[in-house]
Amino acid sequence: MTPPPLSRRGVLAGAASLGAALSPTAAATAEAAPAAGPRGHRPERAVVFRDVRPLGSRDAVDLTVVDGRISDRPAPRGAKIVDGGGRLALPALVDAHIHPDKTSWGGDWVSRAPASGIAEYCAQDVELFRTQQRPVGERAYGLMAHAVTRGTRAMRAHADVAPAYGLAGVEGVAEARKRLADALDVQIVAFPQHGVVRAPGTADLLEAAARDGLVDLIGGIDPISFDHAPDEQLDLVFGLADRYGVGLDIHLHDRDAKGTKVLRGIVERTRALSLRGKVTISHVFCLPFLSPSELADTAQDLAELDIALTTVAPNESLVLPVAELTRHGVRVGLGSDGVRDAWSPFGDADMLHRAHLLGWITDVRLDDELTACYTVGAHGSADVLGLPRADLTPGSPADFVLVRGECVPQVVVDRPQRDMVVHAGRVVARAGELV
């Protein structure tokens, strides 16, 4: 039976605010620069972004960045000046869940055949991998670079690990990460898309990826409904995480009791192995179908163990109840999922578009609700990846985008061009192109 539609306030209302605007008095200018530091001291890398409106503030200010961080102190003498032209300065976004190794982005159009179920999609993944002329590293780079130009500061990239590919997906995404090191922070997940137990040899590949330091996290997928070996899969991936000191990010698509059973198994193992703060569950389609009391109890367990969640906002029924979860202290992030791959022709790795879709499917219309959609992608996703929030406060990472617009809600709706993308205080993209 289809559940009743989720109310928009039940999904997003109450999410953390995007931040407070800087006052003109707090913004330093290059003219107020102090004397140079002591002889032999490394010169500070300082940039003043002149005439910008942080978080949509009414009054424009000069935003000072020193050594990649927002500063409220006078800029050092000789600071570089970048004219913001009165544009809004908004926190750069974080993609908490994307599959760049699968993409055909930037290449010829791929016609997709009918498919039903994960196994059939996996077979089409293999066919796409075999027929693509461009290697994984090139395809992943094209998509990840595009994400940068749209204002993404960081992403968690799931790369398929299976006998059909070996570690080619992980190695290709790592190659793209290296090429974009100055513009994008990337965490790599060794993701067993074909199953851990049902695809013999996958467990050895996962261990090699973790042991050799090739990945930041180990993945898992539907231990009951797809792998048909819940205890064996969970014991194996949790064992690898514990042994090699990596994180976990497990795909969980089941919407029924199978999903909640796996959820309990993840909670129990996280507690038993003292992996608090190192486990993420992606999609978690069973959560929206829980009763209010069941959801509250589950959220309490997740918050106690600091188990993070991600949603790609696929539709109204399956999007996570972000506000309720965050009220209980659960970290919740937003992601793109697959982009123009064998699973779907859709997707664009533009996290502002994803925030827009989150608002669209949850039928929001109030300013605070629209702002909350941006907040999930900016700060919620950063929390999931364990990154400091780029909230434009003194000391925060100078990762932001400059856009023409009136306010954050209008930007979420209209999705204006990202005129300038700044990462660690450096301009890394202008007008949709890498610098």
Side-chain angles (χ1 to χ4, degrees):
M1 183 176 67
T2 303
L6 299 173
S7 71
R8 60 176 183 269
R9 299 203 69 85
V11 175
L12 288 170
S17 63
L18 195 58
L22 300 181
S23 68
T25 56
T29 63
E31 283 79 5
R39 182 176 299 177
H41 179 71
R42 181 181 63 82
E44 294 174 306
R45 180 168 56 85
V47 185
V48 176
F49 292 86
R50 178 155 292 166
D51 190 23
V52 300
R53 296 187 293 121
L55 309 174
S57 61
R58 178 177 301 178
D59 299 318
V61 301
D62 293 339
L63 192 62
T64 298
V65 175
V66 177
D67 289 339
R69 299 272 174 175
I70 301 296
S71 176
D72 59 355
R73 302 182 64 184
R77 180 173 292 121
K80 180 179 179 180
I81 306 296
V82 177
D83 184 16
R87 291 173 176 81
L88 273 70
L90 300 178
L93 292 152
V94 175
D95 194 328
H97 187 106
I98 188 171
H99 295 263
D101 65 310
K102 296 176 181 285
T103 192
S104 63
W105 185 270
D108 295 337
W109 179 255
V110 174
S111 296
R112 292 150 187 87
S116 176
I118 293 176
E120 291 186 13
Y121 283 112
C122 287
Q124 293 193 14
D125 277 338
V126 174
E127 181 64 18
L128 181 67
F129 176 80
R130 289 174 176 168
T131 57
Q132 284 289 299
Q133 298 298 311
R134 299 175 300 148
V136 173
E138 183 179 338
R139 290 185 282 116
Y141 172 80
L143 182 64
M144 293 159 67
H146 174 76
V148 170
T149 68
R150 268 53 185 175
T152 294
R153 62 182 275 232
M155 62 172 54
R156 179 172 289 176
H158 295 256
D160 282 9
V161 169
Y165 319 111
L167 295 175
V170 166
E171 292 164 351
V173 173
E175 175 189 325
R177 172 172 66 178
K178 184 176 181 180
R179 292 177 65 183
L180 290 165
D182 291 335
L184 182 69
D185 298 324
V186 182
Q187 295 177 355
I188 301 178
V189 185
F191 174 51
Q193 177 73 81
H194 297 187
V196 176
V197 177
R198 66 181 284 159
T202 299
D204 291 338
L205 290 169
L206 292 174
E207 180 159 20
R211 181 189 63 234
D212 297 343
L214 302 178
V215 296
D216 305 286
L217 303 98
I218 294 293
I221 181 170
D222 297 328
I224 296 178
S225 64
F226 184 61
D227 223 10
H228 307 301
D231 290 334
E232 189 174 352
Q233 182 190 134
L234 291 178
D235 287 348
L236 191 149
V237 298
F238 270 87
L240 291 177
D242 185 44
R243 188 177 314 132
Y244 296 108
V246 295
L248 279 171
D249 194 323
I250 299 173
H251 285 52
L252 184 55
H253 302 100
D254 295 318
R255 311 177 191 186
D256 53 15
K258 292 189 292 290
T260 54
K261 183 176 181 180
V262 171
L263 198 55
R264 286 195 297 273
I266 292 172
V267 167
E268 291 165 1
R269 286 167 174 81
T270 302
R271 181 178 287 115
L273 293 174
S274 300
L275 292 177
R276 186 181 189 280
K278 299 193 70 173
V279 177
T280 301
I281 314 174
S282 294
H283 304 307
V284 213
F285 290 159
C286 59
L287 279 183
F289 297 95
L290 297 180
S291 69
S293 61
E294 290 172 328
L295 178 61
D297 290 343
T298 301
Q300 184 174 343
D301 287 338
L302 296 172
E304 176 194 346
L305 295 168
D306 196 17
I307 296 173
L309 309 177
T310 64
T311 183
V312 299
N315 59 50
E316 185 182 24
S317 296
L318 298 179
V319 65
L320 291 178
V322 177
E324 180 67 16
L325 291 164
T326 54
R327 272 196 291 270
H328 281 86
V330 180
R331 292 179 290 143
V332 184
L334 183 65
S336 294
D337 208 6
V339 178
R340 200 165 298 182
D341 54 23
W343 293 60
S344 173
F346 293 102
D348 57 9
D350 182 341
M351 284 302 296
L352 179 55
H353 186 200
R354 187 60 52 168
H356 172 98
L357 290 174
L358 177 60
W360 177 275
I361 66 161
T362 53
D363 192 30
V364 304
R365 56 187 296 273
L366 304 181
D367 282 2
D368 63 339
E369 296 169 336
L370 290 164
T371 299
C373 292
Y374 197 97
T375 302
V376 176
H379 300 334
S381 294
D383 293 345
V384 169
L385 270 65
L387 300 174
R389 293 184 172 190
D391 57 9
L392 302 179
T393 58
S396 68
D399 295 344
F400 56 89
V401 295
L402 297 184
V403 300
R404 293 192 181 277
E406 184 177 350
C407 58
V408 176
Q410 179 253 323
V411 167
V412 170
V413 171
D414 290 345
R415 294 174 289 141
Q417 173 178 273
R418 280 25 61 93
D419 292 335
M420 195 177 302
V421 180
V422 179
H423 185 74
R426 302 176 186 269
V427 177
V428 294
R430 290 181 184 267
E433 300 291 337
L434 285 181
V435 174

